[in-house]
Amino acid sequence: MMLVEETTVDDAALPVAALGAFLRLGSGFGTDGLQDDLLRAFLRAALAAIEGRINKILIARSFAQQMTSGQAMAVGPLRAVLSVTVDGTAQPYALAGTTITAPTTAKADNGQADRPL
């Protein structure tokens, strides 16, 4: 099973200003925003660590997952399944109780990752 993040978290979705305020970084000295890139990197690292431990997506984005028969989706929650491909051919699918018995790739919208098909 391989889970691939197709879109990244938008910079605007990261609470950089709130983190800077929480850390009480200096402001008003002509250096405002100097640490924003570093804070953004720390937020992305923290987000990845937390999502990896709880197997849930906290900020919506798109993923693709390659699976073999009987595997469940790696993370959740799921908003929409965009496509299901079996042996290179697009297949119709339903979210409730569907079982696919061949090597499969599923793509989910809004990163709420893929669920069992």
Side-chain angles (χ1 to χ4, degrees), residues 22-110:
F22 177 78
L23 295 175
R24 298 183 182 186
L25 297 179
S27 62
F29 300 104
T31 59
D32 292 350
L34 186 63
Q35 299 293 323
D36 285 356
D37 289 337
L38 185 59
L39 293 176
R40 205 170 285 113
F42 284 143
L43 283 168
R44 287 184 189 282
L47 182 66
I50 292 167
E51 287 178 346
R53 288 187 184 225
I54 66 173
N55 289 333
K56 294 197 185 301
I57 301 303
L58 300 176
I59 298 179
R61 54 197 185 277
S62 296
F63 291 87
Q65 181 175 339
Q66 292 180 348
M67 301 175 284
T68 58
S69 180
Q71 284 185 321
M73 298 294 192
V75 292
L78 174 67
R79 272 196 199 169
V81 174
L82 298 178
S83 67
V84 174
T85 305
V86 178
D87 292 331
T89 306
Q91 300 290 319
Y93 59 89
L95 288 179
T98 300
T99 301
I100 297 175
T101 58
T104 304
T105 298
K107 292 188 176 186
D109 183 32
N110 222 0

